[in-house]
Amino acid sequence: MYQKLMIQGQIEVLTGLHIGASDVYAAIGAANSPVVRDPKTQYPIIPGSSLKGKIRTLLVRDAVEGYVLPEPKDDPPPIARLFGKPASSAETKAVASRLQFMDCFLANADELMDTGFTEVKTENSINRLTSIANPRPLERVIRGAKFSFAVIYNVENPAEVEEDFQTLAKGMQLLQLDYLGGHGSRGSGRIRFEELKVIQATGKTEKIETLQKTLEGVKDANVLPL
């Protein structure tokens, strides 16, 4: 039977989080850089694509020397098999991702009803020559918001499962030491992973406890104190 494992947990926002959505139809006076939202509830979300792309980039940056990152087709094998890679030529087939990142939905909406889910932070860019300020209102998910987190892992080679989980855990640690979304150099986007657990979705494996311990190491890389 084809084996699948699920990693579940939560993402807590430690500083205002901005993952942008289209502002084509923004109302006059509204933040000109709104956050992405669930169209059904209008609550903010964290797209799975944002997590996957950021974790992959951080892993590659950690694995290679210099500031120039390789093309995805040239990523180191442990990263390429987890996140997938395109075909590099007619002779080389594309590699499908072993990870399926799900969109993350707001998990503590009831707790935030009184304060609201987002804030508007106004930033100023100052022209060095004229000293003229250019204010930019930015919408951010507020500190303390928590999102559901889930990733499906496809067990394609049982001998590589532990190494794959070690790679993923390292990527999550690196993310906690970096930022998610935009404007991270100005304080936005600090997050931490919480309550991570491994669940046997299909098939059977004897490594659940070992894999669980690997994920427990993620919390040791929190950028801000618990």
Side-chain angles (χ1 to χ4, degrees), residues 49-64 66-67 69-70 72 75-76 79 83 171 174-175 178-179:
S49 57
S50 296
L51 282 170
K52 182 180 181 182
K54 183 69 177 192
I55 292 175
R56 179 176 191 158
T57 297
L58 290 172
L59 283 169
V60 174
R61 189 174 297 281
D62 182 71
V64 302
Y67 293 98
L69 299 184
D75 283 352
I79 299 173
F83 294 88
L174 291 172
L175 178 53
D178 205 89
Y179 61 88

Side-chain angles (χ1 to χ4, degrees), residues 44 49-50 85 99 106-107 111 219-220:
S49 57
S50 296
K85 71 172 184 178
L99 297 175
L106 194 63
E111 298 176 13
K219 65 183 179 182
D220 297 330

Side-chain angles (χ1 to χ4, degrees), residues 5 7 153 155 160-166 169 197-198 200 205-217:
L5 300 172
I7 302 168
Y153 169 77
V155 181
E160 295 173 342
V161 172
E162 290 186 46
E163 183 182 14
D164 284 350
F165 266 67
Q166 290 167 3
K197 59 182 178 180
V198 184
Q200 185 77 57
T205 179
E206 306 296 332
K207 301 179 179 180
I208 293 295
E209 292 185 3
T210 300
L211 301 179
Q212 183 66 48
K213 289 181 180 179
T214 299
L215 290 182
E216 289 172 359

Side-chain angles (χ1 to χ4, degrees), residues 91-149:
E91 292 78 26
T92 304
K93 295 182 179 179
V95 176
S97 173
R98 294 183 181 181
L99 297 175
Q100 303 169 30
F101 284 82
M102 300 185 187
D103 288 344
C104 305
F105 297 98
L106 194 63
N108 64 337
D110 291 344
E111 298 176 13
L112 303 178
M113 285 296 182
D114 292 337
T115 58
F117 310 126
T118 64
E119 62 186 0
V120 176
K121 179 176 182 285
T122 300
E123 299 179 345
N124 277 319
S125 62
I126 307 296
N127 187 300
R128 290 183 177 181
L129 299 179
T130 65
S131 297
I132 296 176
N134 178 29
R136 300 173 298 183
L138 173 75
E139 186 179 30
R140 306 193 308 176
V141 179
I142 65 169
R143 176 172 65 91
K146 295 185 178 182
F147 293 84
S148 61
F149 170 74

